[in-house]
Amino acid sequence: QSALTQPASVSGSPGQSITISCTGTSSDVGSYDLVSWYQQHPGKAPKLMIYEGSKRPSGVSNRFSGSKSGYTASLTISGLQAEDEADYYCCSYAGSSALLFGGGTKLTVL
Amino acid sequence: QVQLQESGPGLVKPSETLSLTCSVSGYSISSGYCWGWIRQPPGKGLEWIGSIYHSGSTYYNPSLKSRFAISVDTSKNQFSLKLNSVTAADTAVYYCARIPHTGSGVQATLHYVDYWGQGALVTVSP
């Protein structure tokens, strides 16, 4: 199992929208609607932002949205704010009771 | 409010065994969910190690060598991780987590991590 593929970094200005991609294979992202996204600030534990592809947990801003097309899942953050600057990780169910994470994307708010 | 807390030694010598325990409060492990371990080497990404169902069924990352063992103690509302023959490459922050799932027994479909512990840094060094 290789890690899901994410861009190493993305950036955007306050108020703009950005999208982070997460590319997998037919064994994971392509086969299940079970992609989740996590936000991690330095020195902190990850926080669930999106689950089951496009669902938001209670308390997560509706500026965060998730989608999937084929083998690629995406996280979109609209109305970018300074506090959104963090690392973001995707994760997918990979069959055989296994989870697979992406390599992570560092979001910089300019 | 569900809370998870890792505990264990922060320093382990090479070739020895790493042992961590996750104490769960606010939810009874025996009521359901899968419970898992995820690690993050310094400056690197997240890696799922494995998970355990309250019945004791375990699921491990097939990419990792079988040096890991996860167990559960429902009487203490805790689950544990053991990793033997550690090397410097096992230096990481280790997180325990709660994982919603469907199915059970031989194969469970893991959905996502909804609760994380704060993480425990384990350093492997002589």
Side-chain angles (χ1 to χ4, degrees):
Chain A
Q1 282 183 335
S2 298
L4 304 174
T5 301
Q6 297 181 234
S9 63
V10 298
S11 62
S13 299
Q16 288 186 330
S17 293
I18 63 95
T19 296
I20 299 172
S21 62
C22 169
T23 301
T25 68
S26 59
S27 298
D28 37 69
V29 175
S31 289
Y32 308 98
D33 290 325
L34 293 173
V35 174
S36 50
W37 290 89
Y38 304 87
Q39 176 192 67
Q40 186 180 36
H41 287 110
K44 299 296 186 182
K47 174 188 176 183
L48 178 66
M49 305 303 285
I50 296 289
Y51 67 99
E52 294 172 1
S54 59
K55 298 176 182 178
R56 270 189 314 275
S58 174
V60 172
S61 170
N62 59 9
R63 297 185 298 105
F64 292 82
S65 62
S67 62
K68 189 186 88 167
S69 178
Y71 298 163
T72 298
S74 298
L75 172 71
T76 297
I77 309 174
S78 59
L80 210 55
Q81 299 179 1
E83 65 250 35
D84 299 332
E85 184 163 295
D87 292 328
Y88 290 84
Y89 292 91
C90 64
C91 179
S92 175
Y93 180 62
S96 301
S97 304
L99 290 176
L100 184 62
F101 282 95
T105 298
K106 181 177 180 59
L107 168 62
T108 301
V109 180
L110 302 170
Chain B
Q1 175 72 355
V2 179
Q3 292 186 317
L4 294 85
Q5 178 69 57
E6 305 89 351
S7 60
L11 182 64
V12 181
K13 290 181 168 54
S15 80
E16 295 189 343
T17 297
L18 177 162
S19 295
L20 291 171
T21 295
C22 182
S23 299
V24 180
S25 59
Y27 189 85
S28 173
I29 285 179
S30 57
S31 294
Y33 286 93
C34 273
W35 305 86
W37 291 94
I38 295 155
R39 70 178 180 179
Q40 184 173 36
K44 296 187 178 181
L46 300 168
E47 180 177 48
W48 175 73
I49 297 171
S51 302
I52 189 164
Y53 190 57
H54 69 82
S55 64
S57 297
T58 50
Y59 318 100
Y60 295 104
N61 186 332
S63 297
L64 299 174
K65 292 183 179 179
S66 54
R67 296 184 295 126
F68 293 93
I70 300 174
S71 60
V72 64
D73 186 339
T74 54
S75 67
K76 295 182 179 179
N77 218 36
Q78 296 176 335
F79 61 103
S80 299
L81 173 71
K82 288 189 186 299
L83 170 60
N84 58 35
S85 304
V86 297
T87 69
D90 295 312
T91 293
V93 174
Y94 285 77
Y95 294 101
C96 60
R98 190 179 83 164
I99 304 171
H101 68 95
T102 48
S104 62
V106 174
Q107 182 160 317
T109 298
L110 308 182
H111 286 226
Y112 53 92
V113 177
D114 61 355
Y115 286 96
W116 298 71
Q118 65 182 31
L121 173 62
V122 178
T123 302
V124 178
S125 180

